Coordinates of all heavy atoms in Angstrom, one line a residue:
Q1 N 69.9 9.1 -39.5 CA 69.6 8.9 -38.0 C 68.1 9.1 -37.8 O 67.5 10.0 -38.4 CB 70.4 10.0 -37.3 CG 70.1 10.0 -35.8 CD 70.8 11.1 -35.1 OE1 71.5 11.9 -35.6 NE2 70.5 11.2 -33.8
V2 N 67.5 8.3 -37.1 CA 66.1 8.4 -36.7 C 66.0 8.9 -35.3 O 66.6 8.4 -34.4 CB 65.4 7.0 -36.8 CG1 64.0 7.0 -36.4 CG2 65.5 6.4 -38.2
L3 N 65.2 9.9 -35.2 CA 65.0 10.5 -33.9 C 63.6 10.1 -33.3 O 62.6 10.2 -34.0 CB 65.0 12.0 -33.9 CG 66.3 12.7 -34.0 CD1 66.1 14.2 -34.1 CD2 67.2 12.4 -32.9
E4 N 63.6 9.8 -32.1 CA 62.3 9.6 -31.4 C 61.9 11.0 -30.9 O 62.6 12.0 -31.2 CB 62.5 8.7 -30.2 CG 62.9 7.2 -30.6 CD 61.9 6.5 -31.4 OE1 60.7 6.7 -31.1 OE2 62.3 5.7 -32.2
Y5 N 60.8 11.1 -30.2 CA 60.3 12.4 -29.7 C 61.5 13.0 -28.9 O 62.2 12.4 -28.1 CB 59.1 12.2 -28.8 CG 58.7 13.5 -28.1 CD1 58.0 14.5 -28.8 CD2 59.1 13.7 -26.8 CE1 57.7 15.6 -28.2 CE2 58.8 14.9 -26.2 CZ 58.2 15.9 -26.9 OH 57.8 17.0 -26.3
T6 N 61.6 14.3 -29.1 CA 62.5 15.1 -28.3 C 61.9 16.4 -28.0 O 61.3 17.0 -28.8 CB 63.9 15.3 -29.0 OG1 64.7 16.1 -28.2 CG2 63.7 16.0 -30.3
P7 N 62.0 16.9 -26.7 CA 61.4 18.2 -26.4 C 62.2 19.3 -27.0 O 61.7 20.5 -27.0 CB 61.5 18.2 -24.9 CG 62.6 17.3 -24.5 CD 62.6 16.2 -25.6
D8 N 63.4 19.1 -27.5 CA 64.2 20.1 -28.1 C 64.4 19.9 -29.6 O 65.5 19.8 -30.1 CB 65.6 20.2 -27.4 CG 66.4 21.4 -27.8 OD1 65.7 22.4 -28.3 OD2 67.6 21.4 -27.6
L9 N 63.3 19.8 -30.3 CA 63.3 19.5 -31.7 C 64.0 20.5 -32.5 O 64.7 20.2 -33.5 CB 61.8 19.3 -32.2 CG 61.7 18.9 -33.7 CD1 62.4 17.6 -34.0 CD2 60.2 18.9 -34.1
A10 N 63.9 21.8 -32.1 CA 64.5 22.9 -32.9 C 66.0 22.7 -33.0 O 66.6 22.9 -34.1 CB 64.1 24.2 -32.3
S11 N 66.7 22.3 -32.0 CA 68.1 22.2 -32.0 C 68.5 21.0 -32.8 O 69.5 21.0 -33.6 CB 68.7 22.1 -30.6 OG 68.4 20.9 -30.0
E12 N 67.7 19.9 -32.8 CA 68.0 18.7 -33.6 C 67.8 19.0 -35.1 O 68.5 18.6 -35.9 CB 67.1 17.5 -33.2 CG 67.3 17.0 -31.8 CD 68.7 16.4 -31.6 OE1 69.3 15.9 -32.6 OE2 69.2 16.4 -30.5
L13 N 66.8 19.8 -35.4 CA 66.5 20.2 -36.8 C 67.7 20.9 -37.4 O 68.0 20.8 -38.5 CB 65.2 21.0 -36.9 CG 63.9 20.2 -36.7 CD1 62.8 21.2 -36.7 CD2 63.7 19.1 -37.7
R14 N 68.3 21.8 -36.6 CA 69.4 22.6 -37.1 C 70.6 21.8 -37.5 O 71.4 22.2 -38.3 CB 69.8 23.7 -36.1 CG 68.8 24.8 -36.0 CD 69.3 26.0 -35.2 NE 69.4 25.7 -33.8 CZ 68.5 25.7 -32.8 NH1 67.3 26.1 -33.2 NH2 68.7 25.4 -31.6
K15 N 70.7 20.6 -36.9 CA 71.8 19.7 -37.2 C 71.5 18.8 -38.5 O 72.5 18.2 -39.0 CB 72.0 18.7 -36.0 CG 72.4 19.3 -34.7 CD 72.4 18.2 -33.7 CE 72.4 18.8 -32.3 NZ 72.4 17.7 -31.3
A16 N 70.3 18.8 -38.9 CA 69.9 17.8 -40.0 C 70.2 18.4 -41.4 O 70.0 19.6 -41.6 CB 68.4 17.5 -39.9
A17 N 70.7 17.6 -42.3 CA 70.8 18.0 -43.7 C 69.5 17.8 -44.4 O 69.2 18.5 -45.4 CB 71.9 17.2 -44.3
L18 N 68.7 16.8 -44.0 CA 67.4 16.5 -44.6 C 66.5 15.9 -43.5 O 67.0 15.1 -42.7 CB 67.6 15.4 -45.7 CG 66.4 14.9 -46.4 CD1 65.7 16.0 -47.2 CD2 66.6 13.6 -47.2
V19 N 65.3 16.4 -43.5 CA 64.3 15.9 -42.6 C 63.2 15.1 -43.4 O 62.7 15.7 -44.3 CB 63.7 17.0 -41.8 CG1 62.6 16.5 -40.9 CG2 64.8 17.8 -41.0
V20 N 62.9 14.0 -42.9 CA 61.7 13.2 -43.4 C 60.8 13.1 -42.3 O 61.1 12.6 -41.2 CB 62.2 11.8 -44.0 CG1 60.9 11.0 -44.5 CG2 63.2 11.9 -45.0
S21 N 59.5 13.6 -42.5 CA 58.6 13.7 -41.4 C 57.1 13.5 -41.9 O 56.9 13.5 -43.1 CB 58.7 15.0 -40.7 OG 57.8 15.2 -39.7
H22 N 56.2 13.5 -41.0 CA 54.8 13.5 -41.4 C 54.6 14.9 -41.9 O 55.4 15.8 -41.8 CB 53.9 13.1 -40.3 CG 53.8 14.1 -39.2 ND1 52.6 14.6 -38.7 CD2 54.7 14.7 -38.4 CE1 52.8 15.5 -37.8 NE2 54.1 15.6 -37.5
A23 N 53.4 15.2 -42.3 CA 53.1 16.5 -42.9 C 52.3 17.4 -42.0 O 51.4 18.1 -42.4 CB 52.4 16.3 -44.3
G24 N 52.5 17.3 -40.7 CA 51.9 18.2 -39.8 C 52.3 19.6 -39.9 O 53.5 19.9 -40.2
A25 N 51.4 20.6 -39.8 CA 51.8 22.0 -40.0 C 52.8 22.5 -39.0 O 53.7 23.2 -39.4 CB 50.5 22.8 -39.8
G26 N 52.8 22.0 -37.8 CA 53.8 22.5 -36.8 C 55.2 22.0 -37.2 O 56.2 22.7 -37.2
T27 N 55.3 20.7 -37.6 CA 56.6 20.1 -38.0 C 57.1 20.8 -39.3 O 58.3 21.2 -39.3 CB 56.5 18.6 -38.2 OG1 56.0 18.0 -37.0 CG2 57.8 18.0 -38.6
I28 N 56.2 21.1 -40.2 CA 56.6 21.7 -41.4 C 57.2 23.1 -41.1 O 58.2 23.5 -41.6 CB 55.5 21.8 -42.4 CG1 55.2 20.4 -43.0 CG2 55.8 22.8 -43.6 CD1 53.9 20.3 -43.9
L29 N 56.5 23.9 -40.3 CA 56.9 25.2 -39.9 C 58.2 25.2 -39.2 O 59.1 26.0 -39.5 CB 55.8 25.9 -39.1 CG 56.1 27.3 -38.7 CD1 56.3 28.2 -39.9 CD2 55.0 27.8 -37.8
D30 N 58.4 24.3 -38.3 CA 59.7 24.2 -37.6 C 60.9 23.9 -38.5 O 61.9 24.5 -38.4 CB 59.7 23.0 -36.6 CG 58.8 23.4 -35.3 OD1 58.6 24.6 -35.1 OD2 58.5 22.4 -34.6
C31 N 60.7 23.0 -39.5 CA 61.7 22.7 -40.5 C 62.0 23.9 -41.4 O 63.2 24.2 -41.7 CB 61.3 21.5 -41.3 SG 61.3 20.0 -40.4
L32 N 60.9 24.5 -41.9 CA 61.2 25.7 -42.8 C 61.9 26.8 -42.0 O 62.7 27.5 -42.6 CB 59.8 26.1 -43.4 CG 59.2 25.1 -44.3 CD1 57.8 25.7 -44.8 CD2 60.1 24.8 -45.5
L33 N 61.5 27.1 -40.8 CA 62.1 28.1 -40.0 C 63.6 27.8 -39.7 O 64.4 28.7 -39.6 CB 61.4 28.4 -38.7 CG 60.0 29.0 -38.8 CD1 59.3 29.0 -37.5 CD2 60.1 30.5 -39.4
A34 N 63.9 26.5 -39.6 CA 65.3 26.1 -39.4 C 66.1 26.0 -40.7 O 67.3 25.8 -40.7 CB 65.3 24.7 -38.7
G35 N 65.4 26.2 -41.8 CA 66.1 26.2 -43.1 C 66.5 24.8 -43.6 O 67.5 24.7 -44.3
R36 N 65.8 23.8 -43.2 CA 66.1 22.4 -43.5 C 65.4 22.0 -44.8 O 64.3 22.4 -45.0 CB 65.8 21.5 -42.4 CG 66.5 21.7 -41.1 CD 68.0 21.7 -41.1 NE 68.5 23.0 -41.4 CZ 69.8 23.3 -41.6 NH1 70.7 22.4 -41.7 NH2 70.2 24.5 -41.8
R37 N 66.1 21.1 -45.5 CA 65.4 20.4 -46.6 C 64.4 19.5 -46.0 O 64.7 18.8 -45.1 CB 66.4 19.7 -47.5 CG 67.3 20.7 -48.3 CD 68.3 19.9 -49.2 NE 69.0 20.8 -50.0 CZ 70.4 20.9 -49.9 NH1 71.0 20.1 -49.1 NH2 71.0 21.8 -50.7
L38 N 63.2 19.3 -46.6 CA 62.2 18.6 -46.0 C 61.4 17.7 -47.0 O 61.0 18.2 -48.1 CB 61.2 19.6 -45.3 CG 60.0 19.0 -44.7 CD1 60.3 18.1 -43.5 CD2 59.1 20.2 -44.1
V39 N 61.2 16.5 -46.6 CA 60.4 15.5 -47.3 C 59.2 15.2 -46.4 O 59.5 14.8 -45.2 CB 61.1 14.3 -47.7 CG1 60.2 13.2 -48.4 CG2 62.3 14.6 -48.6
V40 N 58.0 15.4 -46.8 CA 56.9 15.1 -45.9 C 56.2 13.8 -46.5 O 56.0 13.7 -47.7 CB 55.9 16.2 -45.7 CG1 56.6 17.4 -44.9 CG2 55.3 16.7 -47.0
V41 N 55.7 13.0 -45.6 CA 54.9 11.9 -45.9 C 53.5 12.0 -45.2 O 53.4 11.8 -44.0 CB 55.5 10.5 -45.5 CG1 54.7 9.4 -45.9 CG2 56.9 10.5 -46.0
P42 N 52.5 12.5 -45.9 CA 51.3 12.8 -45.2 C 50.5 11.6 -44.7 O 50.6 10.6 -45.3 CB 50.4 13.6 -46.3 CG 51.1 13.3 -47.6 CD 52.5 12.9 -47.3
N43 N 49.9 11.8 -43.6 CA 48.9 10.8 -43.1 C 47.6 11.0 -43.8 O 46.9 12.0 -43.5 CB 48.8 10.9 -41.6 CG 47.9 9.9 -41.0 OD1 47.0 9.3 -41.7 ND2 48.0 9.6 -39.7
E44 N 47.3 10.1 -44.7 CA 46.1 10.3 -45.5 C 44.8 10.0 -44.8 O 43.7 10.2 -45.4 CB 46.2 9.5 -46.8 CG 47.4 10.0 -47.6 CD 47.5 9.2 -48.9 OE1 46.5 9.2 -49.7 OE2 48.6 8.6 -49.2
Q45 N 44.8 9.6 -43.6 CA 43.6 9.2 -42.8 C 43.1 10.4 -41.9 O 42.1 10.3 -41.3 CB 43.9 8.0 -41.9 CG 44.5 6.8 -42.7 CD 43.6 6.4 -43.8 OE1 42.4 6.2 -43.6 NE2 44.2 6.1 -45.0
L46 N 43.8 11.5 -41.9 CA 43.5 12.6 -41.0 C 42.6 13.6 -41.7 O 42.8 14.1 -42.8 CB 44.7 13.3 -40.5 CG 45.6 12.4 -39.6 CD1 46.9 13.2 -39.2 CD2 44.9 11.9 -38.4
M47 N 41.5 14.1 -41.0 CA 40.7 15.2 -41.4 C 40.7 15.6 -42.8 O 41.2 16.6 -43.2 CB 41.1 16.4 -40.5 CG 40.9 16.2 -39.0 SD 41.1 17.7 -38.0 CE 42.4 18.6 -38.7
A48 N 40.0 14.7 -43.6 CA 39.8 15.0 -45.1 C 41.1 15.3 -45.8 O 41.2 16.2 -46.6 CB 38.8 16.2 -45.2
N49 N 42.1 14.5 -45.5 CA 43.4 14.6 -46.2 C 44.1 16.0 -46.1 O 44.7 16.4 -47.0 CB 43.2 14.2 -47.6 CG 43.2 12.8 -47.8 OD1 43.6 12.0 -46.9 ND2 42.8 12.3 -49.0
H50 N 43.9 16.7 -44.9 CA 44.5 18.0 -44.8 C 46.0 18.0 -44.9 O 46.6 18.9 -45.4 CB 44.1 18.7 -43.5 CG 44.7 18.2 -42.3 ND1 44.4 17.0 -41.6 CD2 45.8 18.7 -41.6 CE1 45.2 16.9 -40.6 NE2 46.0 17.9 -40.5
Q51 N 46.7 16.9 -44.5 CA 48.1 16.8 -44.6 C 48.6 16.7 -46.1 O 49.5 17.3 -46.5 CB 48.7 15.7 -43.8 CG 48.7 15.9 -42.3 CD 49.6 14.9 -41.6 OE1 50.2 14.0 -42.1 NE2 49.6 15.1 -40.2
V52 N 47.8 15.9 -46.9 CA 48.0 15.8 -48.3 C 47.9 17.2 -48.9 O 48.7 17.6 -49.7 CB 47.1 14.8 -48.9 CG1 47.3 14.8 -50.5 CG2 47.3 13.4 -48.4
Q53 N 46.8 17.9 -48.6 CA 46.6 19.2 -49.2 C 47.7 20.2 -48.9 O 48.2 20.9 -49.8 CB 45.2 19.8 -48.8 CG 44.0 19.0 -49.3 CD 42.7 19.3 -48.6 OE1 42.7 20.0 -47.5 NE2 41.6 18.9 -49.1
L54 N 48.1 20.2 -47.6 CA 49.2 21.1 -47.2 C 50.5 20.8 -47.9 O 51.2 21.6 -48.4 CB 49.3 21.1 -45.7 CG 50.4 22.0 -45.1 CD1 50.2 23.5 -45.4 CD2 50.5 21.8 -43.6
G55 N 50.8 19.5 -47.9 CA 52.1 19.0 -48.5 C 52.2 19.3 -49.9 O 53.2 19.8 -50.4
L56 N 51.1 19.1 -50.7 CA 51.1 19.3 -52.1 C 51.2 20.8 -52.4 O 51.8 21.3 -53.3 CB 49.9 18.7 -52.8 CG 49.9 17.2 -52.8 CD1 48.6 16.6 -53.4 CD2 51.1 16.6 -53.6
A57 N 50.5 21.6 -51.6 CA 50.5 23.1 -51.8 C 51.9 23.7 -51.6 O 52.3 24.5 -52.4 CB 49.4 23.8 -50.9
L58 N 52.5 23.2 -50.6 CA 53.9 23.7 -50.3 C 54.9 23.1 -51.3 O 55.9 23.8 -51.6 CB 54.3 23.4 -48.8 CG 53.5 24.1 -47.8 CD1 53.8 23.7 -46.4 CD2 53.6 25.6 -47.9
Q59 N 54.7 21.9 -51.8 CA 55.5 21.4 -52.8 C 55.4 22.2 -54.1 O 56.5 22.5 -54.7 CB 55.1 19.9 -53.1 CG 56.0 19.3 -54.2 CD 55.6 17.8 -54.4 OE1 56.2 17.0 -53.8 NE2 54.6 17.5 -55.2
E60 N 54.2 22.7 -54.4 CA 54.1 23.5 -55.6 C 54.8 24.8 -55.5 O 55.2 25.4 -56.5 CB 52.6 23.8 -55.8 CG 51.8 22.6 -56.3 CD 50.3 22.9 -56.4 OE1 49.9 24.1 -56.4 OE2 49.5 22.0 -56.7
Q61 N 55.0 25.3 -54.3 CA 55.8 26.5 -54.0 C 57.3 26.2 -53.9 O 58.1 27.1 -53.7 CB 55.4 27.1 -52.7 CG 53.9 27.5 -52.6 CD 53.6 28.6 -53.7 OE1 54.3 29.6 -53.8 NE2 52.5 28.4 -54.4
G62 N 57.7 25.0 -54.1 CA 59.1 24.6 -54.0 C 59.7 24.6 -52.7 O 61.0 24.6 -52.5
L63 N 58.9 24.5 -51.6 CA 59.4 24.5 -50.2 C 59.7 23.2 -49.7 O 60.5 23.1 -48.7 CB 58.3 25.2 -49.4 CG 58.1 26.7 -49.7 CD1 56.9 27.2 -48.9 CD2 59.3 27.5 -49.5
L64 N 59.2 22.1 -50.2 CA 59.4 20.8 -49.7 C 59.0 19.8 -50.8 O 58.6 20.1 -51.8 CB 58.6 20.5 -48.4 CG 57.1 20.8 -48.4 CD1 56.3 19.7 -49.1 CD2 56.6 21.0 -47.0
L65 N 59.3 18.5 -50.5 CA 58.9 17.4 -51.3 C 57.9 16.6 -50.6 O 58.1 16.2 -49.4 CB 60.1 16.5 -51.7 CG 59.9 15.3 -52.5 CD1 59.3 15.7 -53.9 CD2 61.2 14.5 -52.7
C66 N 56.7 16.4 -51.2 CA 55.6 15.6 -50.6 C 55.5 14.3 -51.3 O 55.2 14.2 -52.5 CB 54.3 16.5 -50.7 SG 52.9 15.7 -50.0
L67 N 55.6 13.2 -50.5 CA 55.5 11.9 -51.1 C 54.6 11.0 -50.3 O 54.6 11.0 -49.0 CB 56.9 11.2 -51.1 CG 58.0 11.8 -51.9 CD1 59.3 11.2 -51.6 CD2 57.7 11.7 -53.4
R68 N 53.7 10.3 -51.0 CA 52.8 9.4 -50.2 C 53.7 8.2 -49.8 O 54.8 7.9 -50.4 CB 51.7 8.9 -51.1 CG 50.8 10.1 -51.4 CD 49.7 9.8 -52.4 NE 49.1 11.1 -52.8 CZ 47.8 11.4 -52.6 NH1 47.1 10.5 -52.0 NH2 47.3 12.5 -52.9
A69 N 53.3 7.5 -48.8 CA 54.1 6.4 -48.2 C 54.5 5.4 -49.3 O 55.6 4.9 -49.3 CB 53.3 5.7 -47.1
S70 N 53.6 5.1 -50.2 CA 53.9 4.1 -51.2 C 54.9 4.6 -52.2 O 55.4 3.8 -53.0 CB 52.6 3.7 -52.0 OG 52.0 4.8 -52.6
E71 N 55.1 5.9 -52.3 CA 56.0 6.5 -53.3 C 57.4 6.9 -52.6 O 58.3 7.4 -53.3 CB 55.5 7.8 -53.8 CG 54.1 7.7 -54.4 CD 53.5 9.1 -54.6 OE1 53.8 10.1 -53.9 OE2 52.7 9.3 -55.6
L72 N 57.5 6.6 -51.3 CA 58.7 7.2 -50.6 C 60.0 6.8 -51.1 O 60.8 7.6 -51.5 CB 58.5 6.9 -49.1 CG 59.6 7.5 -48.2 CD1 59.6 9.0 -48.3 CD2 59.4 7.1 -46.8
L73 N 60.3 5.5 -51.2 CA 61.6 5.0 -51.6 C 61.9 5.4 -53.1 O 62.9 6.0 -53.4 CB 61.8 3.5 -51.4 CG 61.9 3.1 -50.0 CD1 62.0 1.6 -49.8 CD2 63.0 3.8 -49.3
P74 N 61.0 5.1 -54.0 CA 61.4 5.6 -55.4 C 61.4 7.1 -55.5 O 62.3 7.7 -56.2 CB 60.2 5.1 -56.3 CG 59.2 4.4 -55.4 CD 59.8 4.4 -54.0
G75 N 60.6 7.8 -54.8 CA 60.6 9.3 -54.8 C 61.9 9.9 -54.2 O 62.5 10.9 -54.8
L76 N 62.4 9.3 -53.2 CA 63.7 9.7 -52.6 C 64.9 9.4 -53.6 O 65.8 10.3 -53.7 CB 64.0 9.0 -51.3 CG 63.1 9.4 -50.1 CD1 63.4 8.5 -48.9 CD2 63.4 10.9 -49.8
R77 N 64.8 8.3 -54.3 CA 65.8 8.0 -55.3 C 65.9 9.0 -56.4 O 66.9 9.4 -57.0 CB 65.7 6.6 -55.8 CG 66.0 5.5 -54.8 CD 65.9 4.1 -55.4 NE 66.2 3.2 -54.4 CZ 65.2 2.3 -53.9 NH1 64.0 2.4 -54.3 NH2 65.6 1.5 -53.0
K78 N 64.7 9.5 -56.8 CA 64.6 10.4 -58.0 C 64.7 11.9 -57.6 O 64.8 12.8 -58.5 CB 63.3 10.2 -58.7 CG 63.1 8.9 -59.3 CD 61.9 8.8 -60.2 CE 60.6 9.1 -59.5 NZ 59.4 8.9 -60.2
A79 N 64.6 12.2 -56.3 CA 64.5 13.6 -55.8 C 65.7 14.4 -56.2 O 66.8 14.0 -56.1 CB 64.2 13.6 -54.4
D80 N 65.4 15.7 -56.5 CA 66.5 16.7 -56.7 C 66.5 17.6 -55.4 O 65.8 18.6 -55.4 CB 66.2 17.5 -58.0 CG 67.2 18.6 -58.2 OD1 68.2 18.7 -57.5 OD2 66.9 19.5 -59.0
F81 N 67.3 17.2 -54.5 CA 67.3 17.9 -53.2 C 67.9 19.3 -53.3 O 67.8 20.2 -52.5 CB 68.0 17.1 -52.1 CG 67.2 15.9 -51.8 CD1 67.7 14.6 -52.1 CD2 65.9 15.9 -51.2 CE1 66.9 13.5 -51.8 CE2 65.2 14.8 -50.9 CZ 65.7 13.5 -51.2
G82 N 68.7 19.5 -54.4 CA 69.3 20.8 -54.6 C 68.2 21.9 -54.9 O 68.5 23.0 -54.7
A83 N 67.1 21.4 -55.4 CA 66.1 22.4 -55.8 C 65.3 22.8 -54.5 O 64.5 23.8 -54.6 CB 65.1 21.7 -56.7
L84 N 65.5 22.2 -53.4 CA 64.7 22.5 -52.2 C 65.4 23.6 -51.4 O 66.6 23.7 -51.4 CB 64.5 21.4 -51.2 CG 63.6 20.2 -51.8 CD1 63.6 19.1 -50.8 CD2 62.2 20.7 -52.1

């Protein structure tokens, strides 16, 4: 299911088995607080790649999966979501 903007994101996140989102800090925090499995796709054009840096750092901690847009489909096919 694809969600458009919703003012009640927290309740929608609690329903999700897996969230695929951009790598914004607020979205990541909302998903982690909701205990959801998370795949982030950083926007590489923003402020010196800060989304890439954040996504990769949290991936190293085992908190999420960080995939660049060009890697998304093959990365999802190979992902071990049980490890998240």
Side-chain angles (χ1 to χ4, degrees):
Q1 176 184 2
V2 176
L3 282 180
E4 298 295 327
Y5 171 80
T6 177
D8 192 18
L9 183 60
S11 69
E12 295 295 334
L13 290 175
R14 287 190 295 274
K15 297 176 195 175
L18 174 70
V19 175
V20 178
S21 179
H22 74 123
T27 303
I28 289 173
L29 182 58
D30 287 342
C31 290
L32 294 177
L33 289 173
R36 300 299 94 187
R37 291 182 174 120
L38 177 60
V39 175
V40 295
V41 182
N43 181 339
E44 299 183 54
Q45 306 302 314
L46 296 177
M47 297 189 323
N49 280 345
H50 76 281
Q51 286 193 0
V52 173
Q53 294 168 346
L54 178 60
L56 292 175
L58 294 174
Q59 178 175 268
E60 288 176 12
Q61 299 297 314
L63 296 172
L64 53 77
L65 178 61
C66 180
L67 298 170
R68 294 172 191 246
S70 62
E71 306 168 331
L72 185 59
L73 291 179
L76 288 172
R77 288 186 183 109
K78 294 188 304 188
D80 177 10
F81 294 110
L84 295 178

